[in-house]
Structures are given as structure tokens and as C-alpha cells.
Amino acid sequence: MSRHLIDDVAVGWDELGTDLLDGAPPSLVAALTGGEQWPSRNLDHLITPDGSPPVRMSVTDETADEQDMQWGYILHKEGIEVISLLHEDIGPVVDWAIDPRTAFNDHPAAWSSLDPAPVIRASRSTPPPGAPAASPAKADAPRPATRR
């Protein structure tokens, strides 16, 4: 992921494509993309005011405000840290193993560094690989009658 997002791009991304999903299960790719495929596109139409070649933007605590950044993302071995720069200096880490179809609250104030990532709901219809299966109900166990 870090190679694709950081190392393999000269300046930045105009759009991330389905090549980011290379190696993912076909059913997951279809669920996320509707079966369409398109390549990632680099920012390659940049013109600097002085005509010099564009360079990567470095974001630091000092430059984040002047660059009008609202979100920051830090890639960690265990997951991606999502930082609402309008409210926090650090953020919760979203595990790499989380189902990418999971819906998250996108309000910046919900991404507190003190709380887990604000999951709204998991939109998957099947459990992710490795999830424990629900145990079947026992046929011989008596069920209490319901009163209305």
C-alpha cells in the first residue's frame, strides 16, 4: 500500500483507481467498483508560478494550516491513522484488515484520537474471512412461548 500510494508517485495523485485493489478477491473488487476498472492518475498537469518542476508537498504541523488541509493520513504497519486536522493532532488507527465496505462517520469531530474509528455500519452481507461463524440453533432445545 505504501509503495503504491507514496513511493510510486512523483508528486501526488489526481485520482486513485482500481489498480489499488490489485490482488483483492474479485467479489470484493466488484462490490467496491461495480465491476468497472480504471487506472490511478498522477498529478501531472501542474504548473508552478515560477516555472520550476513541481515537487511533493511536505505537510508539517507548521504548514498544515496554510495548506488548508482538513484530513491527514499516516500509514502504519497495523493500519492507517486518520486525523481530522480541524479537531485533532493525532487520530484513531483503522486496522488494515477492516472490510473496506464498512461505512464510517465522515464528520471531522467524530474522529477523536481518544475513541476508536467511528464505524456507522458494516455494509457487507457476508462475514469477512476469519470471522467466527454463528452457531446454529439447536433443534431439540425447547423455545419459550411468546405472550402478547
Side-chain angles (χ1 to χ4, degrees):
M1 181 68 70
S2 63
R3 186 171 9 103
H4 182 85
L5 293 174
I6 299 168
D7 300 338
D8 290 349
V9 64
V11 176
W13 292 104
D14 187 28
E15 178 181 11
L16 292 172
T18 58
D19 49 345
L20 186 63
L21 301 171
D22 286 352
S27 60
L28 177 62
V29 174
L32 293 173
T33 67
E36 295 183 39
Q37 292 191 357
W38 63 93
S40 295
R41 294 185 322 200
N42 290 331
L43 283 171
D44 57 2
H45 309 301
L46 299 175
I47 300 172
T48 60
D50 65 358
S52 62
V55 294
R56 276 190 200 203
M57 194 171 55
S58 293
V59 180
T60 65
D61 289 342
E62 292 78 31
T63 63
D65 286 339
E66 66 192 44
Q67 292 177 13
D68 196 30
M69 305 291 291
Q70 296 181 5
W71 293 94
Y73 306 93
I74 301 174
L75 305 179
H76 296 280
K77 184 177 181 179
E78 65 276 7
I80 183 168
E81 182 178 356
V82 181
I83 306 167
S84 166
L85 297 175
L86 301 174
H87 298 276
E88 299 273 339
D89 292 330
I90 60 175
V93 175
V94 178
D95 192 293
W96 289 119
I98 195 163
D99 189 318
R101 295 169 286 188
T102 301
F104 291 92
N105 181 332
D106 63 354
H107 190 279
W111 289 85
S112 168
S113 60
L114 303 175
D115 300 319
V119 174
I120 293 175
R121 62 181 162 71
S123 61
R124 63 188 181 277
S125 59
T126 57
S135 57
K138 295 180 181 177
D140 56 20
R143 296 182 63 176
T146 7
R147 296 188 150 208
R148 292 183 191 215

PDB file of all heavy atoms in Angstrom, residues 32-57:
ATOM      1  N   LEU A  32     -16.992  -3.077  -4.610  1.00  0.00           N
ATOM      2  CA  LEU A  32     -16.494  -1.711  -4.412  1.00  0.00           C
ATOM      3  C   LEU A  32     -16.561  -0.858  -5.670  1.00  0.00           C
ATOM      4  O   LEU A  32     -16.688   0.361  -5.595  1.00  0.00           O
ATOM      5  CB  LEU A  32     -15.056  -1.744  -3.897  1.00  0.00           C
ATOM      6  CG  LEU A  32     -14.860  -2.317  -2.500  1.00  0.00           C
ATOM      7  CD1 LEU A  32     -13.376  -2.442  -2.183  1.00  0.00           C
ATOM      8  CD2 LEU A  32     -15.557  -1.467  -1.457  1.00  0.00           C
ATOM      9  N   THR A  33     -16.449  -1.497  -6.843  1.00  0.00           N
ATOM     10  CA  THR A  33     -16.330  -0.730  -8.088  1.00  0.00           C
ATOM     11  C   THR A  33     -17.488  -0.928  -9.049  1.00  0.00           C
ATOM     12  O   THR A  33     -17.518  -0.285 -10.094  1.00  0.00           O
ATOM     13  CB  THR A  33     -15.043  -1.126  -8.828  1.00  0.00           C
ATOM     14  OG1 THR A  33     -15.172  -2.476  -9.283  1.00  0.00           O
ATOM     15  CG2 THR A  33     -13.826  -0.964  -7.950  1.00  0.00           C
ATOM     16  N   GLY A  34     -18.404  -1.845  -8.711  1.00  0.00           N
ATOM     17  CA  GLY A  34     -19.487  -2.149  -9.640  1.00  0.00           C
ATOM     18  C   GLY A  34     -18.994  -2.876 -10.874  1.00  0.00           C
ATOM     19  O   GLY A  34     -19.644  -2.877 -11.913  1.00  0.00           O
ATOM     20  N   GLY A  35     -17.807  -3.469 -10.772  1.00  0.00           N
ATOM     21  CA  GLY A  35     -17.245  -4.210 -11.900  1.00  0.00           C
ATOM     22  C   GLY A  35     -16.436  -3.353 -12.866  1.00  0.00           C
ATOM     23  O   GLY A  35     -15.838  -3.865 -13.801  1.00  0.00           O
ATOM     24  N   GLU A  36     -16.402  -2.053 -12.653  1.00  0.00           N
ATOM     25  CA  GLU A  36     -15.633  -1.170 -13.535  1.00  0.00           C
ATOM     26  C   GLU A  36     -14.164  -1.179 -13.121  1.00  0.00           C
ATOM     27  O   GLU A  36     -13.827  -1.471 -11.985  1.00  0.00           O
ATOM     28  CB  GLU A  36     -16.162   0.255 -13.464  1.00  0.00           C
ATOM     29  CG  GLU A  36     -17.569   0.401 -13.985  1.00  0.00           C
ATOM     30  CD  GLU A  36     -18.024   1.844 -13.963  1.00  0.00           C
ATOM     31  OE1 GLU A  36     -17.200   2.732 -14.267  1.00  0.00           O
ATOM     32  OE2 GLU A  36     -19.191   2.072 -13.627  1.00  0.00           O
ATOM     33  N   GLN A  37     -13.290  -0.854 -14.066  1.00  0.00           N
ATOM     34  CA  GLN A  37     -11.864  -0.741 -13.771  1.00  0.00           C
ATOM     35  C   GLN A  37     -11.323   0.533 -14.412  1.00  0.00           C
ATOM     36  O   GLN A  37     -11.694   0.885 -15.528  1.00  0.00           O
ATOM     37  CB  GLN A  37     -11.097  -1.948 -14.311  1.00  0.00           C
ATOM     38  CG  GLN A  37     -11.448  -3.216 -13.579  1.00  0.00           C
ATOM     39  CD  GLN A  37     -10.492  -4.348 -13.945  1.00  0.00           C
ATOM     40  OE1 GLN A  37      -9.609  -4.211 -14.772  1.00  0.00           O
ATOM     41  NE2 GLN A  37     -10.682  -5.475 -13.304  1.00  0.00           N
ATOM     42  N   TRP A  38     -10.455   1.218 -13.686  1.00  0.00           N
ATOM     43  CA  TRP A  38      -9.799   2.405 -14.204  1.00  0.00           C
ATOM     44  C   TRP A  38      -8.467   2.561 -13.486  1.00  0.00           C
ATOM     45  O   TRP A  38      -8.316   2.150 -12.347  1.00  0.00           O
ATOM     46  CB  TRP A  38     -10.674   3.650 -14.036  1.00  0.00           C
ATOM     47  CG  TRP A  38     -10.964   4.018 -12.621  1.00  0.00           C
ATOM     48  CD1 TRP A  38     -10.266   4.888 -11.836  1.00  0.00           C
ATOM     49  CD2 TRP A  38     -12.023   3.520 -11.785  1.00  0.00           C
ATOM     50  NE1 TRP A  38     -10.821   4.965 -10.574  1.00  0.00           N
ATOM     51  CE2 TRP A  38     -11.905   4.132 -10.516  1.00  0.00           C
ATOM     52  CE3 TRP A  38     -13.061   2.602 -11.988  1.00  0.00           C
ATOM     53  CZ2 TRP A  38     -12.772   3.868  -9.473  1.00  0.00           C
ATOM     54  CZ3 TRP A  38     -13.923   2.353 -10.936  1.00  0.00           C
ATOM     55  CH2 TRP A  38     -13.774   2.977  -9.705  1.00  0.00           C
ATOM     56  N   PRO A  39      -7.493   3.140 -14.148  1.00  0.00           N
ATOM     57  CA  PRO A  39      -6.167   3.283 -13.537  1.00  0.00           C
ATOM     58  C   PRO A  39      -6.090   4.515 -12.628  1.00  0.00           C
ATOM     59  O   PRO A  39      -6.850   5.470 -12.782  1.00  0.00           O
ATOM     60  CB  PRO A  39      -5.251   3.476 -14.748  1.00  0.00           C
ATOM     61  CG  PRO A  39      -6.130   4.150 -15.756  1.00  0.00           C
ATOM     62  CD  PRO A  39      -7.514   3.569 -15.541  1.00  0.00           C
ATOM     63  N   SER A  40      -5.165   4.456 -11.688  1.00  0.00           N
ATOM     64  CA  SER A  40      -4.858   5.644 -10.889  1.00  0.00           C
ATOM     65  C   SER A  40      -4.204   6.668 -11.806  1.00  0.00           C
ATOM     66  O   SER A  40      -3.535   6.316 -12.779  1.00  0.00           O
ATOM     67  CB  SER A  40      -3.895   5.290  -9.751  1.00  0.00           C
ATOM     68  OG  SER A  40      -4.499   4.407  -8.842  1.00  0.00           O
ATOM     69  N   ARG A  41      -4.404   7.947 -11.491  1.00  0.00           N
ATOM     70  CA  ARG A  41      -3.814   9.010 -12.310  1.00  0.00           C
ATOM     71  C   ARG A  41      -2.979   9.930 -11.434  1.00  0.00           C
ATOM     72  O   ARG A  41      -3.448  10.414 -10.403  1.00  0.00           O
ATOM     73  CB  ARG A  41      -4.901   9.822 -12.998  1.00  0.00           C
ATOM     74  CG  ARG A  41      -5.690   9.035 -14.017  1.00  0.00           C
ATOM     75  CD  ARG A  41      -6.659   9.914 -14.737  1.00  0.00           C
ATOM     76  NE  ARG A  41      -7.238  10.882 -13.789  1.00  0.00           N
ATOM     77  CZ  ARG A  41      -8.358  11.532 -13.983  1.00  0.00           C
ATOM     78  NH1 ARG A  41      -9.022  11.363 -15.070  1.00  0.00           N
ATOM     79  NH2 ARG A  41      -8.816  12.380 -13.096  1.00  0.00           N
ATOM     80  N   ASN A  42      -1.761  10.160 -11.878  1.00  0.00           N
ATOM     81  CA  ASN A  42      -0.852  11.083 -11.185  1.00  0.00           C
ATOM     82  C   ASN A  42      -1.253  12.524 -11.469  1.00  0.00           C
ATOM     83  O   ASN A  42      -1.843  12.826 -12.501  1.00  0.00           O
ATOM     84  CB  ASN A  42       0.586  10.906 -11.687  1.00  0.00           C
ATOM     85  CG  ASN A  42       1.189   9.614 -11.245  1.00  0.00           C
ATOM     86  OD1 ASN A  42       0.848   9.081 -10.207  1.00  0.00           O
ATOM     87  ND2 ASN A  42       2.096   9.091 -12.049  1.00  0.00           N
ATOM     88  N   LEU A  43      -0.868  13.404 -10.550  1.00  0.00           N
ATOM     89  CA  LEU A  43      -0.963  14.833 -10.828  1.00  0.00           C
ATOM     90  C   LEU A  43       0.184  15.164 -11.775  1.00  0.00           C
ATOM     91  O   LEU A  43       1.334  15.235 -11.364  1.00  0.00           O
ATOM     92  CB  LEU A  43      -0.797  15.640  -9.532  1.00  0.00           C
ATOM     93  CG  LEU A  43      -1.979  15.695  -8.601  1.00  0.00           C
ATOM     94  CD1 LEU A  43      -1.576  16.337  -7.277  1.00  0.00           C
ATOM     95  CD2 LEU A  43      -3.118  16.466  -9.226  1.00  0.00           C
ATOM     96  N   ASP A  44      -0.120  15.314 -13.035  1.00  0.00           N
ATOM     97  CA  ASP A  44       0.975  15.576 -13.978  1.00  0.00           C
ATOM     98  C   ASP A  44       0.722  16.803 -14.844  1.00  0.00           C
ATOM     99  O   ASP A  44       1.446  17.076 -15.774  1.00  0.00           O
ATOM    100  CB  ASP A  44       1.248  14.344 -14.846  1.00  0.00           C
ATOM    101  CG  ASP A  44       0.035  13.880 -15.624  1.00  0.00           C
ATOM    102  OD1 ASP A  44      -1.019  14.517 -15.535  1.00  0.00           O
ATOM    103  OD2 ASP A  44       0.150  12.871 -16.330  1.00  0.00           O
ATOM    104  N   HIS A  45      -0.294  17.585 -14.507  1.00  0.00           N
ATOM    105  CA  HIS A  45      -0.589  18.796 -15.272  1.00  0.00           C
ATOM    106  C   HIS A  45      -0.297  20.039 -14.438  1.00  0.00           C
ATOM    107  O   HIS A  45      -0.917  21.070 -14.629  1.00  0.00           O
ATOM    108  CB  HIS A  45      -2.053  18.814 -15.706  1.00  0.00           C
ATOM    109  CG  HIS A  45      -2.509  17.569 -16.385  1.00  0.00           C
ATOM    110  ND1 HIS A  45      -1.939  17.090 -17.536  1.00  0.00           N
ATOM    111  CD2 HIS A  45      -3.469  16.682 -16.054  1.00  0.00           C
ATOM    112  CE1 HIS A  45      -2.536  15.979 -17.900  1.00  0.00           C
ATOM    113  NE2 HIS A  45      -3.468  15.697 -17.004  1.00  0.00           N
ATOM    114  N   LEU A  46       0.640  19.912 -13.510  1.00  0.00           N
ATOM    115  CA  LEU A  46       0.920  21.020 -12.600  1.00  0.00           C
ATOM    116  C   LEU A  46       1.894  22.019 -13.207  1.00  0.00           C
ATOM    117  O   LEU A  46       2.884  21.641 -13.828  1.00  0.00           O
ATOM    118  CB  LEU A  46       1.508  20.488 -11.296  1.00  0.00           C
ATOM    119  CG  LEU A  46       0.615  19.534 -10.503  1.00  0.00           C
ATOM    120  CD1 LEU A  46       1.374  19.001  -9.299  1.00  0.00           C
ATOM    121  CD2 LEU A  46      -0.653  20.225 -10.069  1.00  0.00           C
ATOM    122  N   ILE A  47       1.598  23.279 -12.990  1.00  0.00           N
ATOM    123  CA  ILE A  47       2.489  24.358 -13.427  1.00  0.00           C
ATOM    124  C   ILE A  47       2.744  25.223 -12.201  1.00  0.00           C
ATOM    125  O   ILE A  47       1.802  25.713 -11.556  1.00  0.00           O
ATOM    126  CB  ILE A  47       1.860  25.208 -14.544  1.00  0.00           C
ATOM    127  CG1 ILE A  47       1.555  24.322 -15.753  1.00  0.00           C
ATOM    128  CG2 ILE A  47       2.761  26.380 -14.904  1.00  0.00           C
ATOM    129  CD1 ILE A  47       0.760  25.007 -16.836  1.00  0.00           C
ATOM    130  N   THR A  48       3.995  25.387 -11.853  1.00  0.00           N
ATOM    131  CA  THR A  48       4.335  26.205 -10.688  1.00  0.00           C
ATOM    132  C   THR A  48       4.419  27.679 -11.108  1.00  0.00           C
ATOM    133  O   THR A  48       4.676  27.986 -12.279  1.00  0.00           O
ATOM    134  CB  THR A  48       5.675  25.761 -10.075  1.00  0.00           C
ATOM    135  OG1 THR A  48       6.689  25.909 -11.057  1.00  0.00           O
ATOM    136  CG2 THR A  48       5.603  24.311  -9.617  1.00  0.00           C
ATOM    137  N   PRO A  49       4.225  28.600 -10.177  1.00  0.00           N
ATOM    138  CA  PRO A  49       4.258  30.031 -10.516  1.00  0.00           C
ATOM    139  C   PRO A  49       5.580  30.481 -11.149  1.00  0.00           C
ATOM    140  O   PRO A  49       5.584  31.348 -12.016  1.00  0.00           O
ATOM    141  CB  PRO A  49       4.033  30.732  -9.180  1.00  0.00           C
ATOM    142  CG  PRO A  49       3.329  29.729  -8.331  1.00  0.00           C
ATOM    143  CD  PRO A  49       3.842  28.397  -8.787  1.00  0.00           C
ATOM    144  N   ASP A  50       6.694  29.866 -10.716  1.00  0.00           N
ATOM    145  CA  ASP A  50       7.986  30.295 -11.259  1.00  0.00           C
ATOM    146  C   ASP A  50       8.471  29.406 -12.405  1.00  0.00           C
ATOM    147  O   ASP A  50       9.573  29.594 -12.909  1.00  0.00           O
ATOM    148  CB  ASP A  50       9.041  30.359 -10.151  1.00  0.00           C
ATOM    149  CG  ASP A  50       9.350  28.999  -9.549  1.00  0.00           C
ATOM    150  OD1 ASP A  50       8.735  27.987  -9.957  1.00  0.00           O
ATOM    151  OD2 ASP A  50      10.223  28.944  -8.656  1.00  0.00           O
ATOM    152  N   GLY A  51       7.659  28.428 -12.814  1.00  0.00           N
ATOM    153  CA  GLY A  51       8.029  27.571 -13.938  1.00  0.00           C
ATOM    154  C   GLY A  51       8.931  26.400 -13.565  1.00  0.00           C
ATOM    155  O   GLY A  51       9.300  25.599 -14.419  1.00  0.00           O
ATOM    156  N   SER A  52       9.300  26.288 -12.296  1.00  0.00           N
ATOM    157  CA  SER A  52      10.156  25.176 -11.876  1.00  0.00           C
ATOM    158  C   SER A  52       9.328  23.887 -11.844  1.00  0.00           C
ATOM    159  O   SER A  52       8.106  23.926 -11.772  1.00  0.00           O
ATOM    160  CB  SER A  52      10.755  25.462 -10.503  1.00  0.00           C
ATOM    161  OG  SER A  52       9.727  25.575  -9.544  1.00  0.00           O
ATOM    162  N   PRO A  53       9.991  22.735 -11.901  1.00  0.00           N
ATOM    163  CA  PRO A  53       9.247  21.471 -11.837  1.00  0.00           C
ATOM    164  C   PRO A  53       8.522  21.335 -10.499  1.00  0.00           C
ATOM    165  O   PRO A  53       9.043  21.754  -9.463  1.00  0.00           O
ATOM    166  CB  PRO A  53      10.333  20.396 -11.955  1.00  0.00           C
ATOM    167  CG  PRO A  53      11.543  21.093 -12.446  1.00  0.00           C
ATOM    168  CD  PRO A  53      11.417  22.534 -12.062  1.00  0.00           C
ATOM    169  N   PRO A  54       7.316  20.788 -10.516  1.00  0.00           N
ATOM    170  CA  PRO A  54       6.596  20.613  -9.252  1.00  0.00           C
ATOM    171  C   PRO A  54       7.290  19.586  -8.373  1.00  0.00           C
ATOM    172  O   PRO A  54       7.960  18.678  -8.860  1.00  0.00           O
ATOM    173  CB  PRO A  54       5.218  20.123  -9.681  1.00  0.00           C
ATOM    174  CG  PRO A  54       5.371  19.629 -11.069  1.00  0.00           C
ATOM    175  CD  PRO A  54       6.569  20.307 -11.653  1.00  0.00           C
ATOM    176  N   VAL A  55       7.162  19.769  -7.072  1.00  0.00           N
ATOM    177  CA  VAL A  55       7.746  18.838  -6.107  1.00  0.00           C
ATOM    178  C   VAL A  55       6.651  18.410  -5.138  1.00  0.00           C
ATOM    179  O   VAL A  55       5.616  19.062  -5.012  1.00  0.00           O
ATOM    180  CB  VAL A  55       8.919  19.471  -5.321  1.00  0.00           C
ATOM    181  CG1 VAL A  55      10.092  19.762  -6.231  1.00  0.00           C
ATOM    182  CG2 VAL A  55       8.473  20.725  -4.603  1.00  0.00           C
ATOM    183  N   ARG A  56       6.914  17.312  -4.442  1.00  0.00           N
ATOM    184  CA  ARG A  56       5.958  16.845  -3.449  1.00  0.00           C
ATOM    185  C   ARG A  56       5.754  17.884  -2.367  1.00  0.00           C
ATOM    186  O   ARG A  56       6.693  18.569  -1.957  1.00  0.00           O
ATOM    187  CB  ARG A  56       6.474  15.575  -2.765  1.00  0.00           C
ATOM    188  CG  ARG A  56       6.180  14.362  -3.513  1.00  0.00           C
ATOM    189  CD  ARG A  56       6.501  13.187  -2.635  1.00  0.00           C
ATOM    190  NE  ARG A  56       6.679  12.042  -3.479  1.00  0.00           N
ATOM    191  CZ  ARG A  56       6.540  10.800  -3.076  1.00  0.00           C
ATOM    192  NH1 ARG A  56       6.263  10.549  -1.821  1.00  0.00           N
ATOM    193  NH2 ARG A  56       6.706   9.819  -3.897  1.00  0.00           N
ATOM    194  N   MET A  57       4.546  17.944  -1.909  1.00  0.00           N
ATOM    195  CA  MET A  57       4.194  18.854  -0.843  1.00  0.00           C
ATOM    196  C   MET A  57       4.551  18.193   0.481  1.00  0.00           C
ATOM    197  O   MET A  57       4.196  17.046   0.718  1.00  0.00           O
ATOM    198  CB  MET A  57       2.691  19.092  -0.924  1.00  0.00           C
ATOM    199  CG  MET A  57       2.183  20.222  -0.153  1.00  0.00           C
ATOM    200  SD  MET A  57       0.434  20.570  -0.541  1.00  0.00           S
ATOM    201  CE  MET A  57      -0.375  19.030  -0.242  1.00  0.00           C
TER     202      MET A  57
END
